[in-house]
Amino acid sequence: RAAWSPALAEYLVQHHSQPGDLLADPFAQQGSLARVAARQRRRLVLNNTSPATVLGVLISAAPPAPAVP
């Protein structure tokens, strides 16, 4: 099973899209594209046959909660 290299995902998103663009990950598995899209302020559509996998990808891409002083 293939996975996006985080470095490749970072390069492709940065050089081939703009903030606010809609990206698609039709075979969401590891969440590399989702994490990069969130960091670079892109919107993302995910697809996978397993709802649990999609949920895991969404959780892994969520920004960390702010620290409470």
Side-chain angles (χ1 to χ4, degrees), residues 37 42 56:
R42 272 49 166 197

Side-chain angles (χ1 to χ4, degrees), residues 5 10 14 17 24 41 47 49 68:
S5 156
E10 192 85 36
Q14 183 175 9
S17 67
R41 303 180 54 94
N47 185 50
T49 57
V68 177

Side-chain angles (χ1 to χ4, degrees), residues 14-65:
Q14 183 175 9
H15 289 89
H16 297 286
S17 67
Q18 299 295 318
D21 282 356
L22 180 63
L23 308 178
D25 189 349
F27 306 105
Q29 289 289 325
Q30 303 298 321
S32 298
L33 184 58
R35 285 188 291 279
V36 169
R39 255 195 324 275
Q40 294 193 22
R41 303 180 54 94
R42 272 49 166 197
R43 298 173 301 139
L44 183 66
V45 174
L46 299 171
N47 185 50
N48 191 294
T49 57
S50 167
T53 299
V54 172
L55 181 59
V57 168
L58 290 173
I59 290 170
S60 74

